[in-house]
Amino acid sequence: MQPYLAGMSQDDITAMLTATPAHGFSAPAEPGAGALVYTHDGAPPLLFQGLVGFDDTPLDTRGSDIIGRIALVVEGGTMTINTYAGFYS
């Protein structure tokens, strides 16, 4: 959020991270699939359609807000994180 709060637009931030991936953010594998992909430590990539949530104000936004519902399931000592994997439209 630092570049956004400093005045950069979402489009400029997306273009910057697409051209020069940083902090786990890069371009999606397929054009038109979304704005950015976030990958951490070999985990499956998370698709970001935008950087700021639709109902959020920049000061209240966290990176996880755009993902939607998140649930932690603990079963037999194994933790699984479930996220909304749909496409907002």
Side-chain angles (χ1 to χ4, degrees), residues 73-80:
V73 177
V74 180
E75 186 175 327
T78 302
M79 292 187 283
T80 303

Side-chain angles (χ1 to χ4, degrees), residues 33-82:
L36 293 169
V37 171
Y38 176 76
T39 307
H40 177 73
D41 205 20
L46 296 173
L47 176 64
F48 280 72
Q49 288 178 264
L51 302 180
V52 178
F54 300 111
D55 298 324
D56 298 328
T57 59
L59 293 176
D60 297 330
T61 298
R62 297 170 301 172
S64 60
D65 290 341
I66 198 73
I67 297 170
R69 295 172 201 85
I70 300 174
L72 175 64
V73 177
V74 180
E75 186 175 327
T78 302
M79 292 187 283
T80 303
I81 296 177
N82 295 315

